Every structure is written in C-alpha cells, then in structure tokens.
Amino acid sequence: MESSKSEKLWGGRFEGGTAASVEAFTESISYDSRLYRYDIAGSKAHATMLADNGLLSKEELTAITEGLTTIESKIDAGDFPFKSELEDIHMNIEKALIDAIGPAGAKLHSARSRNDQIALDFRMYLRDQCDIFVVLLDDLRRAFVSLARKYMGNVMPGYTHMQRAQPVLISHHMMAYFEMFGRDRERIIDCRKRINISPLGAAAMAGTGLPIDREMVAELLGFDKVTANSMDTSGDRDFAIEFTSCCTMIQLHLSRLSEELVLWSSQEFSFVQIADKFCTGSSIMPQKKNPDIPELIRGKSGRVVGSLMSLITLMKGLPMTYNRDMQEDKEPVFDAVDTVSASMAIMAEMLGNLDFNTERMAECTQTGFMTATDLADYLVLHNVPFREAHGIVGRAVATCIEKGCELTDLTLAEIKEFSPIIDKDIFEVLSVEGSVNSRISTGGTSTQRVEEAVSAAEKQMGIGE
Ligand code: ARG
C-alpha cells in the first residue's frame, strides 16, 4: 500500500509514493493538530510580512488570510479532515489552503521551513500555557490563604522525620505551601521569558536569502524579540525542557501535599475530613471512604517526571540542528500540561472542601514532649550553654518517659531537680500556646508572624478587597 506522491508537498524529488506503514509511523497530526491556532496565526503574520516585503501581492495576501480564517473555523467546528498522509499540522493546513485558493497558497511557505514553523507553534503554545499556569497557581495559592485565615490560631504538631517535633499553627503549615507554589509561579514567569522569542526566519537552519523582516513578524505575534542564531533556533528545545521541569516541580509540590492529605485523612491521624464529593468508596468494604484525588495526584507525578525524562533523553545525543527525533517532544509536553493543569485545578477545588479536625490536632500537640526545645531555650536565656541545656532537658524527658507523663505533669519541685535555675514561669513556657507564640523570629510560627504573613498574602492576592 502506497499513497500517491502528488498529495505530498515535498513530493518533487520522489519517484513513488510513501509506504502506508511509514506514513503511520512518521505522522504527528494525531497529536500536533492541537497546535492549529498557533500555526494559523503564525502563517498569517508571516504572509503579512511577505507582502510587506514584496514577496506577495495584496490580493495574494488577502486570499491567504481569508483562506486561513476559513480553515480555522472548519477546525474549530470539528469539520476539517486531518490526513495522516500529510504528516503534520503544517502540511495539513498548507495543503488545504492551496486546494482552496490555488497558487497564492503555494507562495506562503517562501522564506520558511517547517523547522522554524514548529518551533514557532510550540513556543506560542507554551507561552499561553505559562499564562494559564499562573492563573491556576494563583487559584491554588488563594485556597491556602483562605485555609490559613479560617484556621488562624489553631495548633497542630509540626514534624521532622515524621516524628512530632514542635507545635505550629495550622495556618503556618498552609502558608508553607503558599510559598512553594509562589516559587513555582516565579519559575513559570521566568521560563516564559525564554519561550517568548520568535524563531521564525531561521528557516531550515541557516536563515534565508529572501528579503524578510523577522522583527515585524515577532511584533505581530507578540514576541519580545527574535532569536539570535538560526542554527540554535532550529535545534533548540531547551524552552520545552525548562517548561516541563517547571511542571515537574509543581507536580512534586502537589504530590507532597497529597501525601499529607492521605495521611491526615487516615483514622490514625484523623486531622482532616475531605468532603464526600471528593472521595470514593470501596466496592467490597462498605465502611471505606478513600482519598482518591490526592492519591491520583501523587500517582500522576510519575507521568510528569517521565515526561521530563523523555525530553532530556530525547535531546541528549542530538547533533545540531533539527533532527526528526525532535518530533517526539510534543506528546510528553502535552501530557505534562494536561496532567499538571488538571491536578492544580482539582487540588484547589478540594482545598475549598476540606475541614480540619482542630480539636484532634491540638490534642496531638499535648503529648510527645513537643515543647522540650522551649525548656532548653528557657535555660539558654538563663545563661546555661545550649549543649548543657540540651542534656538537662534530655534527662528530664527520659524521667518523664519512665514515669509515663509529660513535662507539664511534673511539679515545680520535680522539675527543679534537673536545674535549680528553673522557676514557676516555666509552665507558661512549656504550654503549647506559649511555645508557638514565642517563635517570633522572621518566618516563625508565632500568631503575630503568621498573621502578618497571611495579611500580606491576602493583600497580594487581592483577597477581602
Ligand atoms: N512534525 C515535525 C516536528 O514536530 C515538524 C518539523 C518537520 N521538519 C522536517 N524537516 N521534517 O518536529
């Protein structure tokens, strides 16, 4: 089975058609059709520039522009026959244009190659995704600020090594995620700067001898500038790798949060209640309510990491400049975009449907010697060297473990046995509230600091205005 060579826009030097198996193996239209809007916008700008430089007549430009608009509406309406024998989005659209308007359509590809054309489409697509990601990240960040406001003043155990460490405010924990996703937002905005550079005019890889105006095309399409080296332009996919690496970081943060939500919704923790509509049941165990959403988000991080690995591996051995291998860059990026944006959206929605079991969380701060560091700090403030203080508190904790009690259960006389410096004001120091509110260092968990952080975030996010 062969298809006729006449369909192919590059058929000139070929004797016969292409094997059906080869067409099936090499096509990318099944997934790069997603880029049609960008391909059409790019072609319109390119044609405008060609006309401006005497390479197209006014009439030809009008025919091309109108022809492309018609094609776009057909694709919008799902009424466009994408053909795998035409390989990719570029040739599907160009062939349809030539069929519709004749010779003018055949002039469109002057001073252009699919190599700079795909770089253009991909950059325009990713530029839009960056803007969408910023919106989704802000929705997510707003959800953390709302939770931080709602639970202001409530305490929970903070952990290191998954062992109870020191009491913190629930709001402080929420604001930690606000910071993480804030960095992700900055990374995306920074990545966009390197995406938003126009590759068009690099042509196949050496540039073109035809009189073109790259800056004009860049301006028409909203790019900040044009790329500096035509070979780099046709061979570069750093921008896609960088974007996918930003995706990976976001998904990684979502996955860590998901892990906490899975743990916290277990009976062992019983820290949170995820609304019924965000959980599912078991087909065999009637009592089950499973945290599927966070589990799936955690699971999907494997795909996103996989996409990043695919891209890195794809590019690592490629000589300059364009190689067909690079067609394999699209699917991992598309999958990362779909996975991460869906995960961000559903996480933000679920956070709005989360109830913390504040009593249980507070109760968990009462055991486990969570204010032992405060006793050590108390001694330090009374001029005991920290290492010595550490030893004193360690012995006090060991005694409590033996007695089966907490530090706060000791009498003043008992506690004084460990150090005569200790006085009755120690009980305030050892209280959970006293401990939390003593941590007034910048970025600390005291109500004062966390209130400041939440207020600043509310202002930044335009909440309560
Ligand atoms: N479909 C191709 C890709 O995604 C477009 C560029 C093809 N260029 C070429 N010379 N075959 O990379």
Side-chain angles (χ1 to χ4, degrees):
M1 273 277 284
E2 291 179 2
S3 74
S4 82
K5 72 173 192 134
S6 61
E7 276 270 283
K8 302 273 190 278
L9 296 175
W10 42 253
R13 63 119 42 228
F14 289 79
E15 289 278 318
T18 315
S21 55
V22 173
E23 280 179 352
F25 191 72
T26 55
E27 67 84 27
S28 56
I29 190 62
S30 53
Y31 50 86
D32 68 15
S33 58
R34 186 190 282 232
L35 300 172
Y36 75 95
R37 278 180 205 288
Y38 307 108
D39 201 76
I40 289 172
S43 287
K44 283 182 176 175
H46 181 66
T48 306
M49 181 278 292
L50 291 179
D52 211 56
N53 288 277
L55 292 166
L56 287 178
S57 70
K58 252 190 161 167
E59 296 69 37
E60 287 169 331
L61 173 62
T62 309
I64 288 173
T65 309
E66 288 176 5
L68 287 171
T69 302
T70 308
I71 291 171
E72 186 166 22
S73 334
K74 279 197 183 151
I75 303 179
D76 282 342
D79 187 20
F80 184 89
F82 287 117
K83 294 181 184 160
S84 64
E85 59 272 25
L86 289 172
E87 276 183 48
D88 55 27
I89 186 62
H90 322 302
M91 292 204 290
N92 269 271
I93 291 174
E94 195 184 330
K95 180 74 168 56
L97 182 71
I98 295 170
D99 288 349
I101 68 167
K107 287 190 171 179
L108 173 64
H109 210 52
S110 315
R112 189 173 73 171
S113 152
R114 281 187 292 156
N115 297 351
D116 55 349
Q117 197 177 355
I118 186 60
L120 178 82
D121 294 5
F122 212 20
R123 281 173 183 270
M124 288 176 74
Y125 166 79
L126 284 179
R127 178 175 76 177
D128 274 0
Q129 293 311 316
C130 285
D131 297 342
I132 295 169
F133 269 46
V134 167
V135 173
L136 289 168
L137 282 166
D138 280 347
D139 287 346
L140 200 51
R141 292 167 77 230
R142 241 176 249 114
F144 289 111
V145 180
S146 299
L147 284 170
R149 174 54 71 206
K150 183 169 170 195
Y151 292 101
M152 183 57 85
N154 290 110
V155 294
M156 67 177 288
Y159 298 83
T160 60
H161 312 268
M162 218 37 227
Q163 306 288 317
R164 284 184 194 168
Q166 292 168 333
V168 293
L169 293 184
I170 294 176
S171 310
H172 198 46
H173 198 128
M174 293 302 104
M175 291 305 285
Y177 282 105
F178 176 81
E179 290 296 320
M180 289 181 230
F181 290 109
R183 288 195 297 277
D184 290 337
R185 182 184 192 276
E186 279 175 25
R187 261 186 285 273
I188 286 281
I189 288 172
D190 203 61
C191 166
R192 192 189 191 281
K193 292 183 201 157
R194 283 170 291 283
I195 289 174
N196 199 32
I197 305 175
S198 175
L200 217 57
M205 60 101 175
T208 176
L210 295 170
I212 60 164
D213 182 347
R214 295 191 61 199
E215 282 73 16
M216 179 183 174
V217 178
E219 204 181 316
L220 286 172
L221 294 172
F223 284 100
D224 294 330
K225 56 180 179 183
V226 301
T227 53
N229 179 298
S230 61
M231 293 182 76
D232 176 38
T233 304
S234 95
D236 167 42
R237 290 295 179 271
D238 303 9
F239 65 90
I241 295 177
E242 190 179 351
F243 177 85
T244 311
S245 136
C246 294
C247 286
T248 305
M249 195 71 89
I250 295 171
Q251 195 70 19
L252 185 148
H253 287 152
L254 288 170
S255 185
R256 294 186 65 187
L257 170 64
S258 296
E259 169 69 7
E260 296 206 304
L261 291 172
V262 171
L263 286 174
W264 291 352
S265 59
S266 69
Q267 263 175 307
E268 281 67 18
F269 272 86
S270 297
F271 279 8
V272 288
Q273 192 73 19
I274 302 174
D276 279 7
K277 61 178 175 179
F278 284 93
C279 296
T280 64
S282 158
S283 57
I284 178 171
M285 298 167 282
Q287 84 285 7
K288 292 287 295 288
K289 178 177 153 181
N290 298 327
D292 305 56
I293 300 298
E295 288 177 291
L296 278 169
I297 293 175
R298 188 177 60 187
K300 282 174 190 293
S301 48
R303 307 169 69 116
V304 184
V305 172
S307 292
L308 179 61
M309 287 308 123
S310 296
L311 289 176
I312 292 172
T313 313
L314 160 65
M315 292 305 292
K316 81 165 269 294
L318 292 189
M320 292 265 271
T321 55
Y322 179 84
N323 297 273
R324 189 63 180 269
D325 314 45
M326 286 155 76
Q327 179 168 298
E328 288 290 310
D329 62 359
K330 252 76 73 203
E331 285 170 294
V333 170
F334 292 161
D335 193 72
V337 164
D338 293 345
T339 305
V340 179
S341 43
S343 300
M344 282 191 281
I346 195 120
M347 180 59 92
E349 201 184 337
M350 192 179 63
L351 291 176
N353 284 272
L354 208 60
D355 278 314
F356 283 103
N357 187 348
T358 52
E359 256 170 57
R360 160 84 183 151
M361 291 170 106
E363 192 186 296
C364 288
T365 62
Q366 297 298 330
T367 51
F369 310 101
M370 297 195 70
T371 56
T373 321
D374 299 86
L375 176 53
D377 286 349
Y378 176 93
L379 293 168
V380 167
L381 283 173
H382 288 79
N383 219 16
V384 179
F386 181 76
R387 279 293 150 226
E388 204 180 304
H390 192 282
I392 293 170
V393 179
R395 284 190 289 282
V397 167
T399 304
C400 285
I401 291 172
E402 215 169 276
K403 288 188 168 183
C405 70
E406 291 290 321
L407 287 169
T408 40
D409 297 325
L410 299 174
T411 62
L412 182 58
E414 282 171 325
I415 214 164
K416 263 180 174 300
E417 278 173 31
F418 299 102
S419 168
I421 287 168
I422 302 174
D423 213 341
K424 62 176 185 306
D425 58 347
I426 191 60
F427 292 105
E428 163 62 13
V429 170
L430 290 180
S431 77
V432 168
E433 276 69 27
S435 163
V436 165
N437 286 326
S438 73
R439 307 212 182 278
I440 53 168
S441 55
T442 304
T445 194
S446 67
T447 308
Q448 187 192 343
R449 290 288 169 257
V450 175
E451 175 60 49
E452 283 165 9
V454 174
S455 299
E458 284 172 335
K459 206 165 158 213
Q460 191 193 333
M461 306 306 295
I463 298 173
E465 272 174 1

